[in-house]
Amino acid sequence: LKIADKRRYMLTCLVPLAYLFVTVNYAGYWMVKNVYLNPDAAGYSTLNAILSIIMLVLGMIILISAIKKWLDMWNTPQLK
């Protein structure tokens, strides 16, 4: 974003990022809800649920901080 002539090319990274972020986080949520915290499931594990929730929260923090950085870079003048 700092030196690119055509900023629209960033979509080649953002589209796969959005897809993977949504699918992986939904799968993590589903595992916590339906497996790790379900006493009837074979994979019942409170520890796995806690660790998965921590990883989901950390992923959100990373994405939010990255979005803030991208917006800052988008709003600054490009270097020529």
Side-chain angles (χ1 to χ4, degrees), residues 21 25 53-69:
F21 188 79
N25 283 305
I53 291 168
I54 290 170
M55 292 302 291
L56 291 170
V57 169
L58 290 174
M60 288 298 293
I61 291 170
I62 290 170
L63 183 66
I64 290 168
S65 64
I67 289 171
K68 287 180 181 179
K69 181 66 175 179

Side-chain angles (χ1 to χ4, degrees), residues 14-78:
L14 292 182
V15 171
L17 169 72
Y19 172 76
L20 287 173
F21 188 79
V22 169
T23 56
V24 168
N25 283 305
Y26 180 75
Y29 164 77
W30 188 89
M31 286 294 292
V32 169
K33 181 182 173 198
N34 296 317
V35 178
Y36 299 147
L37 295 180
N38 183 1
D40 297 330
Y44 177 73
S45 172
T46 306
L47 177 62
N48 281 345
I50 292 169
L51 293 174
S52 294
I53 291 168
I54 290 170
M55 292 302 291
L56 291 170
V57 169
L58 290 174
M60 288 298 293
I61 291 170
I62 290 170
L63 183 66
I64 290 168
S65 64
I67 289 171
K68 287 180 181 179
K69 181 66 175 179
W70 294 333
L71 290 174
D72 287 344
M73 291 172 71
W74 186 270
N75 292 326
T76 57
Q78 287 182 320

